[in-house]
Amino acid sequence: MLTVENLSASYGPVRALSEVSLAVERSRITAVLGANGAGKTTLLRTLTGLVPAASGKASLDGVEFLRRPAEEIARMGVAHVPEGRGVIQELTVEENLRLGAIWRRDIDVQAKMAWIYELFEPLEPRAGKPAFTLSGGERQMLAVGRALMAEPKALLLDEPSLGLAPLVVASIMSLLRRLCDEQGLSVLLVEQNARSALSVADDAVVLSLGRVVVSDAAGKIRNDEALRHHYLGF
Amino acid sequence: MRNFWNFLLIGVSNGLVYSLVALGIVLIYRSTRVINFALAAMATFSTFIAASLIDRNVPYFVAFLAAIVFGFLLGAATERFVMRPVESKSPLNAVIVAIGMLIFLEAMAGVIWGAKLRNFPSHFSLIGLKIGGARLAISNFDLFIVTVVVVLLLALLVLFRYTKLGLMMRASAFAPEVARLLGVRVGRMLTLGWGLACAAGAVAGLLAAPKVFLFPNNMDGVLIFGFTAAIIGGLDSPVGALVGGLLTGVALSFIGGYLGSDLENVGAFVILVVVLMARPEGIFSSMSARRV
């Protein structure tokens, strides 16, 4: 279970996050919604140690991890798939996947890779190709697959639908749901595309100017027309 | 015609040394975007260590290895304690610090070992090989240079291509932030990268010293040729460093041989300017691909 309490962060004098609190149980997806500049990406970057937190707490299964170095947070089981997909273009598909579990000595990398290739079939024939030869959708698959290599407990995704065709988005979202249930992951799904995020999420929080303005079950937000209009624009 | 072949062979032998210097520059540049001008002084310092060991009757190869290990430690310590504090600032700060290191180390070498020219033993004969009565311009020592550089390059190739450590080092160089998110301890990879780069520089110093002699700034000229080689290769490609070194070595050998040896420095600058005008990203760079 991923817990965030009263998390705040600033870029210089600009407060980007104010007292954000949320909790994601195992096998559940919480969508983080909001307009551009609402602090969604900052929330993920603060949680995984790329942006220093000003105050607050964050823990995974009761273990505090906020303010540790990014690489140590990753080793605790918090996987962050950054915006823009974060695949390393110069490395091959297989090297990217290997890198996902590089610090784990207790994992059968071959078996894990075979499993990823089963989940994301288009990746297998491209195994030896540099990642820059992949399409946008394939890169997203690679980024998610790579994050799964180390068997994380929490998966933080930043705009996985960005720039992808609606069909690809739908298939990635449904796969995310399946993985979350099968692997018992706590998923924090940051999305600009509120409609598709709400279609798979259990809960949702809406950020506005760095604050949580709504926190509720995803179904309720989906059905609350006034709220949708006001914050989500659909 | 015999001149032609001799110039070519000398060019290859010198070029491999320039390749090592270029490799030292490239290994650091591609992970930190810093040009390590101190590489020349680090190479010289390591060579002085070998020289003083040899003076104390330590066997040549032991001294050779000790100097490489010293180069590695000097590079790693420089990253960890000198460059790390300025790493997050503009790359210009790091470059200025590197130039400071260059001046400091060369001055220290002068203080410790004296600012005079001295011989550095080559262990192998520097006299040209004889083939069918004709004497070639290359010697046993040149064959030693070729062997050392080839072995070193193969070792680095295996490290980068086929080991987990190499994969982590490449990931740290290409995308440090992503690497950290995957649990790679990028700081350690940088330290290791500087160590390897300066170890390559130390080897270059050891191989150049019998020909250019040993004094506190004996590698300054070699650094300029190595830098030319690195630019030709594209600054971020180890293969480019090798090819760039060979091209620079052979070109300068022909310029020196046919036009006069005092034109070699000018030749290096002409090559540099021509490459920068025709193909500023170098021949082997992947940087243009990265911008897409």
Side-chain angles (χ1 to χ4, degrees):
Chain A
M1 168 151 158
L2 178 73
T3 320
V4 180
E5 284 173 73
N6 298 321
L7 183 65
S8 300
S10 307
Y11 292 113
V14 183
R15 167 115 323 177
L17 283 181
S18 297
E19 318 248 305
V20 172
S21 296
L22 53 87
V24 193
E25 305 259 2
R26 291 191 60 174
S27 305
R28 289 180 77 84
I29 300 178
T30 295
V32 179
L33 311 173
N36 254 334
K40 306 188 298 295
T41 295
T42 306
L43 171 62
L44 295 197
R45 291 176 64 84
T46 311
L47 283 177
T48 48
L50 298 176
V51 171
S55 62
K57 285 184 185 172
S59 60
L60 183 67
D61 297 334
V63 185
E64 265 295 316
F65 65 81
L66 203 64
R67 295 185 191 85
R68 295 197 191 189
E71 53 270 38
E72 305 309 325
I73 294 173
R75 288 173 183 228
M76 288 177 64
V78 181
H80 176 178
V81 180
E83 194 177 354
R85 320 220 160 80
V87 300
I88 301 182
Q89 306 198 8
E90 293 88 344
L91 302 182
T92 65
V93 170
E94 188 176 317
E95 285 171 335
N96 267 285
L97 289 178
R98 280 182 186 284
L99 201 57
I102 198 103
W103 55 274
R104 301 257 337 213
R105 283 155 208 268
D106 52 342
I107 273 185
D108 181 349
V109 173
Q110 285 304 334
K112 209 81 198 168
M113 262 192 313
W115 174 64
I116 300 290
Y117 288 144
E118 236 171 80
L119 284 175
F120 303 106
E121 281 169 1
L123 293 183
E124 186 158 19
R126 322 295 294 274
K129 297 262 175 2
F132 70 78
T133 62
L134 300 184
S135 69
E138 288 165 343
R139 286 184 201 192
Q140 190 60 56
M141 292 177 193
L142 179 56
V144 175
R146 188 181 60 186
L148 293 171
M149 285 291 290
E151 298 177 349
K153 297 184 192 120
L155 185 60
L156 280 46
L157 296 150
D158 198 349
E159 303 256 9
S161 76
L162 194 73
L164 299 185
L167 267 179
V168 183
V169 174
S171 79
I172 285 195
M173 291 295 168
S174 69
L175 188 70
L176 207 56
R177 183 72 252 180
R178 206 183 105 203
L179 282 167
C180 172
D181 297 340
E182 285 177 8
Q183 307 290 314
L185 294 168
S186 302
V187 177
L188 201 54
L189 174 62
V190 161
E191 263 301 345
Q192 189 89 263
N193 183 345
R195 197 189 299 262
S196 59
L198 286 172
S199 71
V200 292
D202 301 293
D203 305 288
V205 295
V206 180
L207 291 184
S208 177
L209 300 174
R211 286 177 189 280
V212 176
V213 287
V214 180
S215 175
D216 214 332
K220 273 200 169 156
I221 294 177
R222 216 167 27 225
N223 295 326
D224 186 335
E225 202 173 329
L227 191 152
R228 268 176 18 214
H229 270 299
H230 189 74
Y231 289 112
L232 307 173
F234 76 95
Chain B
M1 200 57 207
R2 188 181 330 141
N3 273 349
F4 174 85
W5 291 110
N6 274 334
F7 293 150
L8 183 69
L9 291 171
I10 296 170
V12 168
S13 170
N14 290 344
L16 287 172
V17 175
Y18 306 154
S19 294
L20 282 184
V21 175
L23 193 65
I25 292 169
V26 164
L27 284 180
I28 289 173
Y29 181 81
R30 70 173 190 160
S31 55
T32 58
R33 304 285 147 195
V34 169
I35 303 273
N36 178 22
F37 286 104
L39 191 67
M42 290 172 165
T44 303
F45 220 89
S46 307
T47 312
F48 266 118
I49 295 280
S52 37
L53 287 174
I54 291 168
D55 286 347
R56 285 170 182 71
N57 295 320
V58 173
Y60 177 82
F61 284 106
V62 176
F64 196 90
L65 284 178
I68 297 172
V69 171
F70 176 83
F72 179 90
L73 295 175
L74 180 61
T78 302
E79 192 283 323
R80 186 67 193 81
F81 300 111
V82 182
M83 305 310 288
R84 186 74 61 93
V86 292
E87 218 158 57
S88 53
K89 316 252 165 37
S90 123
L92 188 63
N93 294 19
V95 171
I96 305 263
V97 170
I99 293 174
M101 276 289 285
L102 174 78
I103 296 168
F104 172 75
L105 286 175
E106 287 184 351
M108 283 305 289
V111 169
I112 300 171
W113 291 289
K116 58 186 188 298
L117 213 75
R118 54 165 289 176
N119 273 316
F120 184 78
S122 61
H123 195 71
F124 295 96
S125 164
L126 287 168
I127 298 167
L129 293 170
K130 244 183 174 163
I131 289 185
R135 201 172 273 289
L136 294 175
I138 59 156
S139 61
N140 276 328
F141 184 69
D142 291 300
L143 296 181
F144 176 62
I145 291 179
V146 174
T147 314
V148 169
V149 176
V150 168
V151 167
L152 199 75
L153 290 177
L154 285 178
L156 284 175
L157 180 76
V158 169
L159 171 71
F160 284 125
R161 282 284 146 211
Y162 302 106
T163 70
K164 282 172 93 170
L165 186 63
L167 180 56
M168 287 193 278
M169 290 184 73
R170 281 189 292 152
S172 305
F174 293 138
E177 190 173 287
V178 174
R180 294 185 69 199
L181 289 178
L182 297 173
V184 176
R185 294 182 169 127
V186 171
R188 287 187 201 178
M189 296 303 125
L190 285 185
T191 308
L192 192 58
W194 273 74
L196 284 180
C198 298
V203 176
L206 292 163
L207 295 178
K211 292 184 180 179
V212 301
F213 299 105
L214 184 55
F215 49 98
N217 55 348
N218 72 330
M219 289 294 283
D220 286 1
V222 180
L223 179 76
I224 289 172
F225 298 151
F227 187 61
T228 309
I231 300 266
I232 293 175
L235 268 179
D236 66 348
S237 155
V239 179
L242 172 65
V243 177
L246 287 172
L247 286 176
T248 309
V250 170
L252 293 180
S253 176
F254 283 133
I255 290 170
Y258 287 118
L259 305 175
S261 59
D262 40 354
L263 284 176
E264 280 190 16
N265 282 316
V266 181
F269 283 112
V270 170
I271 295 170
L272 200 55
V273 169
V274 169
V275 169
L276 286 177
M277 285 199 308
R279 211 180 137 75
E281 71 276 22
I283 300 173
F284 289 88
S285 176
S286 59
M287 272 190 271
S288 46
R290 271 185 75 75
R291 286 202 199 97
V292 177

